[in-house]
Amino acid sequence: MFRRLLRRGRLTEFGDRYDLRHIRSVERFQSQVETFDYETFKPYIERMMEGVRSVTYPGRVSLFARSSGTTSDRSKYIPVTMESLWWNHTLGMRDVATVFSSNFPKSRVFEGKTLTLGGSCSREGRNLVGDLSALLIHETTFWSGWFRAPRTETAIIPDFDAKVEAICRECVGERITAFAGVPSWNLAMMRRVLEYTGKRNLLEVWPDLEMFAHGGVEFAPYRTTFEELIPSERMKYMETYNASEGFFAMADDPARSDMLLMLDYGTFFEFRNGTQVVPLEGVECGKVYAVLITSNNGLWRYEIGDTVEFTSTNPYRIRFAGRTRQYINVFGEELIVDNAEHALLAACRKTGAVVSEYSVAPCYMSLRERGAHEWIVEFEREPDSRERFAETLDEELRSVNSDYDAKRRTTLERQRLTVVERGTFLAWMRARGKNKVPRLVNDRRVADELATFQAEPAGVEK
């Protein structure tokens, strides 16, 4: 894969600049080509969007996935070449179907349709720009149309409410056997379907439901809600790692909680731990790495902003560990997403709560007060006691993070729990053009926005 990508790169401006034609080894590649994040790679993407040919990939690139991500307020534009469309993203979806069939040979999921909640896309000059899901639906209609719902015209409606209403009218009478997409947006659609039909759960609407292929965010906080909406032992949940930058991994074994890293999808992987960057053969199990990719979409040594932990190196298996910038370390507590997810699930188990969304921010120290973390939480089901929920959350955080525990003895108070109305986070994402909720934020930016947003009655979905 490395050699194949180098051959492509030699035919580009990028290849001339970094003399790719003389690179024969990974070691020389790493010493000769710098690493990039979005801001440093952005000038190449801008030239591609202007119509310049062979900037970082041979020929003209006219598809761009727009992603707000969780680390920047500005939109990011990721090139999507026709090669990456068919031999990365679409190949991944085909392999999901194949793996699912192999694991569950008696499944009848393919006798019905998969309801895919896509985003939207539009023409900007000669380019087609939008959510990756919308680009895939738009460009692969003839291949995917036979097993996907709703119709393309419905799937790419820009307004979310109008899209969901159209899906209700169009799909309630269809034989839907599966869902695919981001859990939070699918939950919003599912609730509307129940309101539209007057049914108690989704099996009363679509009795043949068997599978939800999900990705984009950690699924654990949503699982209980999905199980209540779809009370069926036949229902299977399959995790995928399909980002705007590429399709990277999938859960191939239902008995495991990790994902198989897909090595034949046009991506050469590197991994950063601290300042050290290693190729795939240099990774170790149990370590958390930031992901860098060189890929058939024209990205070179590009750090995508995600972190993963390897659970196996034969074969290579990973689990998603969070975002590179999602942490809180204002007081030296070094709280990471893994800690937060573990503590949250424990608090839910002990108090009967179901949390649909949450975000955590620091509360700064003052002359009279110690610092603290503010947990902004949206409950799908309230705990038996909010005070007990907060106590359990704090106890679990102290047990899994020694730095947090040490700071709780000195500079940190117990976390402050702020409960918002159901629908607040979804409405905030829609208003801000985001697809994901930042879980841990090292400043007050998101927390203050949510506080202001909740105070505006028109901005909150009831």
Side-chain angles (χ1 to χ4, degrees):
M1 195 60 64
F2 174 65
R3 289 193 296 269
R4 187 185 304 174
L5 291 166
L6 281 180
R7 286 196 295 271
R8 303 274 201 289
R10 289 165 187 157
L11 306 175
T12 66
E13 291 181 11
F14 187 93
D16 288 338
R17 177 173 183 177
Y18 289 96
D19 194 23
L20 297 185
R21 63 176 51 86
H22 290 117
I23 292 178
R24 298 291 183 272
S25 69
V26 173
E27 291 76 17
R28 182 165 180 181
F29 178 66
Q30 292 180 327
S31 65
Q32 200 160 299
V33 181
E34 63 196 282
T35 60
F36 298 88
D37 59 13
Y38 183 75
E39 289 304 314
T40 53
F41 203 79
K42 185 178 177 181
Y44 295 109
I45 296 174
E46 289 177 337
R47 283 175 55 74
M48 284 187 260
M49 296 187 74
E50 290 167 1
V52 180
R53 298 176 63 86
S54 301
V55 179
T56 67
Y57 183 88
R60 170 94 159 85
V61 179
S62 59
L63 302 176
F64 294 88
R66 181 171 51 226
S67 170
S68 61
T70 54
T71 58
S72 174
D73 288 330
R74 299 183 296 276
S75 292
K76 298 190 293 186
Y77 297 89
I78 305 300
V80 180
T81 65
M82 294 310 293
E83 183 181 357
S84 68
L85 183 82
W86 288 105
W87 296 107
N88 181 276
H89 295 290
T90 307
L91 178 58
M93 293 190 294
R94 283 181 279 173
D95 279 354
V96 165
T98 305
V99 168
F100 188 83
S101 297
S102 177
N103 287 333
F104 307 102
K106 295 182 180 180
S107 170
R108 303 179 69 178
V109 71
F110 300 109
E111 294 179 12
K113 292 190 174 183
T114 298
L115 203 163
T116 305
L117 188 62
S120 62
C121 59
S122 60
R123 289 284 174 189
E124 295 186 9
R126 294 177 60 193
N127 301 323
L128 185 64
V129 178
D131 297 310
L132 174 67
S133 57
L135 296 181
L136 291 172
I137 290 169
H138 188 279
E139 294 296 309
T140 64
T141 304
F142 71 94
W143 176 80
S144 62
W146 67 273
F147 69 83
R148 185 190 51 75
R151 294 173 301 148
T152 300
E153 296 78 14
T154 302
I156 61 176
I157 293 174
D159 182 79
F160 181 76
D161 287 332
K163 188 204 307 279
V164 169
E165 289 302 313
I167 287 173
C168 289
R169 292 193 300 270
E170 182 181 330
C171 297
V172 162
E174 289 265 18
R175 185 180 181 184
I176 302 298
T177 54
F179 291 99
V182 179
S184 53
W185 295 96
N186 272 271
L187 275 179
M189 178 194 65
M190 291 171 180
R191 291 186 184 121
R192 180 62 191 123
V193 167
L194 293 183
E195 291 173 2
Y196 181 85
T197 59
K199 303 297 185 181
R200 292 171 300 174
N201 62 64
L202 286 180
L203 291 179
E204 295 182 0
V205 184
W206 296 303
D208 299 320
L209 281 174
E210 283 191 49
M211 194 253 282
F212 178 41
H214 60 86
V217 297
E218 172 63 40
F219 186 61
Y222 302 97
R223 179 178 284 275
T224 301
T225 303
F226 270 87
E227 290 173 348
E228 292 178 354
L229 281 171
I230 312 170
S232 170
E233 293 181 358
R234 290 186 302 141
M235 191 67 185
K236 307 294 190 299
Y237 297 93
M238 186 171 177
E239 185 175 8
T240 64
Y241 186 177
N242 188 14
S244 297
E245 295 87 353
F247 197 117
F248 303 130
M250 70 178 70
D252 66 315
D253 185 346
R256 301 179 63 104
S257 61
D258 51 13
M259 293 180 284
L260 180 69
L261 192 65
M262 308 308 289
L263 305 181
D264 60 341
Y265 283 12
T267 301
F268 173 72
F269 292 99
E270 296 176 85
F271 300 90
R272 178 177 62 78
N273 181 264
T275 58
Q276 183 185 25
V277 179
V278 297
L280 189 59
E281 60 267 30
V283 301
E284 299 176 27
C285 290
K287 286 188 176 181
V288 174
Y289 296 91
V291 181
L292 289 82
I293 62 168
T294 295
S295 68
N296 57 12
N297 60 4
L299 298 176
W300 291 87
R301 303 204 76 200
Y302 180 86
E303 187 164 318
I304 64 176
D306 291 341
T307 61
V308 299
E309 178 185 353
F310 278 85
T311 56
S312 166
T313 57
N314 185 25
Y316 289 101
R317 295 183 180 277
I318 62 170
R319 65 178 188 86
F320 184 77
R323 300 284 293 175
T324 53
R325 300 182 190 178
Q326 285 203 43
Y327 61 89
I328 298 179
N329 193 32
V330 172
F331 311 100
E333 67 275 42
E334 297 192 22
L335 187 71
I336 62 174
V337 172
D338 270 3
N339 303 153
E341 295 284 354
H342 176 92
L344 189 69
L345 290 175
C348 286
R349 280 196 303 269
K350 292 182 179 180
T351 64
V354 176
V355 171
S356 55
E357 298 288 358
Y358 75 94
S359 187
V360 188
C363 298
Y364 301 115
M365 300 171 69
S366 68
L367 288 175
R368 295 180 177 83
E369 290 185 317
R370 295 191 296 171
H373 292 168
E374 181 182 12
W375 282 67
I376 305 168
V377 176
E378 182 180 313
F379 287 112
E380 180 73 19
R381 184 170 66 230
E382 282 274 350
D384 53 24
S385 162
R386 289 187 181 180
E387 175 63 21
R388 185 163 171 252
F389 179 90
E391 285 179 359
T392 304
L393 191 62
D394 185 55
E395 290 169 1
E396 292 294 329
L397 286 172
R398 297 183 73 165
S399 71
V400 299
N401 185 320
S402 58
D403 291 315
Y404 177 84
D405 182 54
K407 297 303 178 291
R408 278 285 286 111
R409 300 170 192 274
T410 54
T411 57
L412 276 179
E413 295 178 350
R414 196 188 77 180
Q415 84 284 341
R416 300 167 190 173
L417 184 65
T418 301
V419 180
V420 298
E421 296 180 61
R422 202 172 88 172
T424 298
F425 278 92
L426 180 63
W428 176 81
M429 284 191 287
R430 290 170 58 188
R432 300 297 185 266
K434 291 185 176 293
N435 294 320
K436 305 173 188 176
V437 174
R439 297 305 191 197
L440 303 185
V441 187
N442 211 37
D443 55 41
R444 296 284 309 170
R445 174 174 43 90
V446 172
D448 290 344
E449 275 191 17
L450 282 165
T452 304
F453 200 78
Q454 191 188 17
E456 301 168 0
V460 179
E461 282 191 344
K462 302 291 185 184

